[in-house]
Amino acid sequence: MRMFDPRGRGGALLLLGSAFVFSGTLFSAGARQAAPTPDRWWSPGEQREWPELLSYPNDTSVVSILRTSKPIDVGTHPFFQPLGENGRACVTCHQPADGMSLSAATAQRQWAATGGKDPLFAMTDGANCANLKPEDPRSHSLLLERGLIRIPLPWPSKSIKGEPEIKIEVVRDPTGCNLDKTYGMNSASPTISVFRRPRPVANLRYILTVPNLFNIKTGYPVTLDAASGKRTSMNLMSDARLLTLKSQAEDAASVHLGATRKMTQAQLGQIEEFTSGLYMAATENRRVGRLDAAGATAGVQSILEGKPLLGDFIERRVFPYFEAWKSPEGTKQEKAFRASVARGEEIFMMRPFYIRDVTHLNTIIGMGNPIKRTCATCHNMQHVGIDGAPGWMDLGTNTLPWAERTDDLPLFKVTCSPKAAPHPYLGRVIHTTDPGRALITGKCVDVGAITLQQMRGLAARAPYFANGSARDLRAVVDFYDRRFEMKLTEQEKEDLTNFMGAL
Amino acid sequence: MRWGRAVLLAALSVSQAAYAQSAKRVSFVACPVLRDTHLPCWLADWNGETYYLGPQGDSAASFYSPQLKHRALIEATVGKGPRVCGGVPLENLSVSVMPEIDLSCSTILPAGEYESPVSPRGPGPAVRPHAPAPRPPEPQAPFVEKQFVLGFEFDSIFLARRNTNRLEEALRYARASNGRIRIETTRGASLLSDGTTIVERDAIATDRAERIVEILVDLGADRERIEHLASETPMPANGIDDPSRRRAVITVTP
């Protein structure tokens, strides 16, 4: 069995910053400092080792990545190579220490370490807009404060059949990019910029699973990938604009890496093989040690062995790991924490509240608005907590009236054609910081819809939601408490937070 | 359309005879109302009476729950059983969500003394997954002309799960029999209990037909072997079986 043992695998575990002592697995930072530890940050083109199990501590836990593909030579593997002009590689934004995403804290650390010269801060999309002053933190405020990357999307999108149902106007343009003469909506190649968090590149077998031929949200078959002749999950990216790992990688190479030459089929194959063999999860918690101990079964192994099945069942739960912690063992402190995680799981699965006014959830034929259900209704796929259906929905994180009141993101006014049916809950005039799926389909019903992210390795990759609006897991819980009037007690909030941190 | 009238007449003669003897039909447009029982139930008020529509469901439920913020067209037969959740039960129920928003549809009643309606699942996860439906057998020769009927909500072209299942079935049959596919769609109307008739929006029969063709082609059917006829003349409304006349009939001819 491949299990994580921080004492057993030299070099795999890196300790930086504060020296944690994880009870149960007790290791000391001092002992490791004899050999120079490679940095937490993976720079493109570096020659270093990617072991079978790679683990990094964060504030509350250890998040590990299990590699099931054959060993790779990081020095030549395309995921780690600066394939374009700006010096970035895939790993720049998909960092192992951050659960294969990128936390805002890491962006800040990298800024401090390089004076803003790291390729991460390439002006193309690592800045609020490409035309701002380089090496000035104000030009990169969205990346530094919220971990956001600029996503320029042509508008109207080529993927829209016929005329779009929606008209988009810029109401607020704090980055200047949407009204810019070169980069904006009225430029020679009209573009809308939205700002989104990198999504974890791991556990992809789940993300790519196609549970049904038909998408019950649209009544259409899920899209066919012409290259492979196979149906796709439509669960990649916030807006499902790319459907396969290959097309995603090609797009990323050109947009994020500034590659001018196409990747070869061999390179694409290498990226696909490596990334689809990565399994990532929290494996330890600072307060109780391993998350697959004392009867619990969380950690990477469960994802590796699991199947991408619907988990919205009492007898087949989404994260079926913590049953034993309902009557926990351990010291008083350990017991308290384990019990809290188990209660959090119970709340996630079982505590009903009214889910209301969420397009592509309440509008699913049969469900109704509102529907009294639980977190697991939407986060329903076992081991990862995505929605296999596929998962784009207008939860309200980016759309008024529910979105966080902020001045630092662009605000768009979307007007739906009187000829089209209105958005089922917001009508024909909608204010949003990210039109989401509608940027790809041009449909009124899709305005604001964002694809659920997976829920693993959360502790390593704050902030949360596609627009980084939840600073920490507690803020995620507070959002839901407000959005769905859940009336969670202080204890319930803490339990949910502890539970999510243990994923 | 010759075909349209024939089917229509057949439908009328059967259903009218059956309904006339016993059942009272109601058809009305009203705000749905939710009762906050442990498992919520859906109600609607009309003409001084409260009707029970059904329990909160899921995507596999036979009763399609309505939407607050939208009025609904309710077409049903008044049932005979005891009240449920405070409402008179309905049978042969069709619920259509009206596409435009109506913010006055916002009532959630307290549970009061009412109990949860009987339902396969509560307000949370179901107990266990259904056993997967057995794969339907491959259609076998001899092949004959066969019809597959898809029903629609009023003013909607959305294909809900039971329709997409039937569409797949039709396509399987067409493939196995190397058949041609003819799609005939209607534009419905509904005679309400207050005597008014409402008619579905313009061009809806065409939109229904085009959507079905689009999906069949996406699933690999040969566009050359599909024809479609959309009848935009509203179907006559009788307040009895209006829901069954918002439809697409897919005929596979081997």
Side-chain angles (χ1 to χ4, degrees):
Chain A
M1 229 188 1
R2 271 172 292 222
M3 288 255 230
F4 172 54
D5 178 359
R7 281 161 301 182
R9 284 170 194 271
L13 190 111
L14 308 166
L15 283 176
L16 291 146
S18 53
F20 299 127
V21 177
F22 289 76
S23 64
T25 57
L26 264 175
F27 51 82
S28 75
R32 314 227 121 228
Q33 253 138 40
T37 40
D39 194 47
R40 213 179 150 82
W41 175 263
W42 285 61
S43 286
E46 264 181 300
Q47 183 65 60
R48 61 196 282 185
E49 194 205 347
W50 185 295
E52 191 180 358
L53 192 76
L54 186 52
S55 302
Y56 287 94
N58 53 63
D59 289 349
T60 58
S61 59
V62 172
V63 165
S64 301
I65 299 153
L66 177 69
R67 173 180 51 75
T68 62
S69 67
K70 62 178 190 290
I72 54 159
D73 176 4
V74 169
T76 57
H77 192 282
F79 193 83
F80 302 86
Q81 295 315 300
L83 300 170
E85 276 148 24
N86 63 22
R88 282 180 180 158
C90 306
V91 76
T92 304
C93 298
H94 298 287
Q95 290 278 333
D98 293 3
M100 296 307 284
S101 170
L102 177 78
S103 70
T106 295
Q108 284 165 26
R109 180 180 176 276
Q110 208 49 25
W111 181 275
T114 65
K117 293 193 172 64
D118 192 280
L120 170 62
F121 302 103
M123 294 308 289
T124 43
D125 58 357
N128 297 353
C129 195
N131 60 0
L132 298 175
K133 191 164 147 246
E135 288 165 44
D136 178 344
R138 283 168 304 179
S139 308
H140 303 271
S141 60
L142 288 175
L143 176 50
L144 291 169
E145 284 158 28
R146 292 169 173 255
L148 297 175
I149 299 295
R150 184 172 75 92
I151 313 281
L153 295 167
W155 179 256
S157 162
K158 280 198 202 72
S159 56
I160 299 172
K161 297 178 195 142
E163 280 285 294
E165 290 175 6
I166 58 174
K167 189 180 84 189
I168 302 179
E169 293 162 88
V170 179
V171 176
R172 188 178 66 211
D173 192 27
T175 68
C177 225
N178 279 295
L179 294 176
D180 187 80
K181 283 202 291 286
T182 314
Y183 300 100
M185 280 192 71
N186 305 317
S187 65
S189 42
T191 301
I192 287 185
S193 288
V194 290
F195 294 84
R196 296 180 182 159
R197 302 271 301 115
R199 298 164 72 91
V201 177
N203 307 328
L204 293 171
R205 171 160 60 86
Y206 291 82
I207 314 290
L208 295 170
T209 287
V210 186
N212 303 302
L213 172 60
F214 275 90
N215 175 355
I216 52 169
K217 297 176 177 181
T218 60
Y220 280 102
V222 289
T223 304
L224 194 70
D225 167 42
S228 66
K230 292 197 180 123
R231 298 277 158 187
T232 58
S233 69
M234 306 185 84
N235 254 330
L236 285 176
M237 322 296 276
S238 300
D239 50 19
R241 67 186 179 280
L242 296 162
L243 301 171
T244 62
L245 291 184
K246 282 196 171 132
S247 61
Q248 205 290 323
E250 283 183 305
D251 180 82
S254 112
V255 177
H256 298 312
L257 273 48
T260 45
R261 263 192 305 157
K262 281 203 152 189
M263 263 192 270
T264 63
Q265 283 304 316
Q267 285 176 316
L268 289 169
Q270 279 177 289
I271 287 185
E272 187 173 16
E273 190 194 341
F274 170 66
T275 57
S276 49
L278 299 176
Y279 290 87
M280 180 273 292
T283 45
E284 280 188 43
N285 179 280
R286 173 147 58 140
R287 286 191 262 182
V288 295
R290 297 175 68 124
L291 294 163
D292 58 356
T297 56
V300 281
Q301 200 69 23
S302 56
I303 318 177
L304 173 69
E305 288 164 6
K307 292 205 182 82
L309 297 173
L310 187 62
D312 185 20
F313 299 104
I314 293 170
E315 293 177 359
R316 192 169 84 196
R317 296 161 86 104
V318 178
F319 300 112
Y321 312 135
F322 300 113
E323 187 59 33
W325 286 9
K326 285 181 177 162
S327 25
E329 14 174 295
T331 64
K332 195 168 160 225
Q333 246 198 337
E334 288 168 351
K335 275 185 180 162
F337 183 78
R338 288 179 177 141
S340 170
V341 169
R343 283 195 305 270
E345 189 274 346
E346 186 69 19
I347 296 167
F348 178 85
M349 274 308 292
M350 301 301 294
R351 187 191 184 285
F353 53 93
Y354 276 115
I355 301 170
R356 66 171 77 210
D357 299 348
V358 180
T359 7
H360 297 309
L361 189 284
N362 295 105
T363 48
I364 294 174
I365 297 288
M367 305 282 266
N369 181 41
I371 184 166
K372 200 194 258 183
R373 284 285 194 82
T374 71
C375 304
T377 299
C378 300
H379 296 276
N380 56 42
M381 188 187 284
Q382 275 202 303
H383 305 295
V384 288
I386 62 161
D387 175 18
W392 57 81
M393 305 179 195
D394 172 28
L395 180 63
T397 43
N398 45 325
T399 299
L400 296 183
W402 297 109
E404 146 212 44
R405 303 284 158 168
T406 174
D407 288 335
D408 54 359
L409 291 173
L411 186 68
F412 304 96
K413 177 181 170 189
V414 180
T415 310
C416 301
S417 154
K419 278 184 275 176
H423 184 282
Y425 308 117
L426 299 170
R428 289 199 169 81
V429 178
I430 304 164
H431 285 87
T432 179
T433 57
D434 184 343
R437 177 79 183 146
L439 289 170
I440 310 308
T441 64
K443 286 198 189 318
C444 182
V445 69
D446 291 331
V447 176
I450 298 283
T451 307
L452 276 81
Q453 308 83 354
Q454 59 170 300
M455 293 182 70
R456 302 316 295 259
L458 286 165
R461 51 186 179 87
Y464 307 100
F465 296 133
N467 63 8
S469 57
R471 184 179 319 137
D472 49 27
L473 288 173
R474 174 56 188 254
V476 170
V477 174
D478 286 337
F479 171 82
Y480 284 106
D481 194 47
R482 175 168 68 88
R483 172 69 178 84
F484 296 126
E485 297 173 85
M486 289 180 71
K487 302 200 174 66
L488 291 165
T489 63
E490 207 33 54
Q491 183 67 57
E492 286 177 310
K493 289 184 181 182
E494 194 184 317
D495 293 344
L496 263 177
T497 306
N498 286 338
F499 160 66
M500 289 195 286
L503 295 175
Chain B
M1 258 166 69
R2 203 159 40 81
W3 155 82
R5 219 170 298 129
V7 175
L8 179 62
L9 287 178
L12 278 184
S13 54
V14 175
S15 55
Q16 259 172 346
Y19 286 122
Q21 292 160 7
S22 53
K24 184 182 163 227
R25 288 289 294 180
V26 283
S27 299
F28 57 91
V29 177
C31 284
V33 170
L34 189 75
R35 190 179 297 283
D36 183 23
T37 35
H38 177 62
L39 178 75
C41 46
W42 286 100
L43 305 164
D45 288 338
W46 181 71
N47 205 15
E49 185 56 276
T50 298
Y51 294 97
Y52 168 68
L53 307 178
Q56 168 181 299
D58 58 27
S59 55
S62 57
F63 161 64
Y64 288 169
S65 297
Q67 304 265 322
L68 292 189
K69 293 207 168 147
H70 292 264
R71 293 191 303 158
L73 166 64
I74 313 290
E75 297 160 288
T77 307
V78 178
K80 292 221 176 59
R83 283 179 180 262
V84 184
C85 263
V88 174
L90 296 172
E91 291 165 6
N92 299 310
L93 170 67
S94 159
V95 178
S96 302
V97 175
M98 300 285 100
E100 293 298 322
I101 292 181
D102 185 337
L103 293 178
S104 73
C105 299
S106 61
T107 309
I108 300 184
L109 300 171
E113 77 271 26
Y114 298 101
E115 300 199 345
S116 291
V118 179
S119 171
R121 75 185 285 181
V127 177
R128 63 183 70 88
H130 293 291
R135 240 192 105 68
E138 274 306 304
Q140 298 290 336
F143 294 107
V144 293
E145 187 175 281
K146 205 166 169 181
Q147 290 194 333
F148 303 83
V149 181
L150 317 189
F152 291 91
E153 287 187 22
F154 191 92
D155 262 351
S156 167
I157 62 173
F158 190 93
L159 295 186
R161 187 183 276 185
R162 50 176 95 118
N163 280 336
T164 57
N165 287 347
R166 225 160 282 159
L167 200 57
E168 278 187 77
E169 209 188 316
L171 184 60
R172 255 197 312 275
Y173 196 75
R175 282 211 179 109
S177 65
N178 192 24
R180 298 187 63 84
I181 298 176
R182 189 171 74 239
I183 300 158
E184 288 157 302
T185 53
T186 63
R187 173 182 178 199
S190 183
L191 173 60
L192 305 184
S193 300
D194 67 6
T196 54
T197 298
I198 54 173
V199 177
E200 290 193 287
R201 67 168 170 81
D202 278 353
I204 196 162
T206 308
D207 292 349
R208 282 178 178 148
E210 284 175 356
R211 172 146 322 178
I212 292 168
V213 174
E214 185 185 350
I215 293 175
L216 286 171
V217 170
D218 182 288
L219 293 178
D222 177 2
R223 195 186 282 272
E224 299 298 307
R225 293 177 58 81
I226 305 178
E227 65 176 319
H228 65 274
L229 294 166
S231 170
E232 296 295 354
T233 311
M235 300 292 275
N238 63 7
I240 295 170
D241 59 356
D242 298 334
S244 69
R245 283 179 284 159
R246 304 186 285 266
R247 65 171 175 246
V249 177
I250 302 174
T251 307
V252 177
T253 313

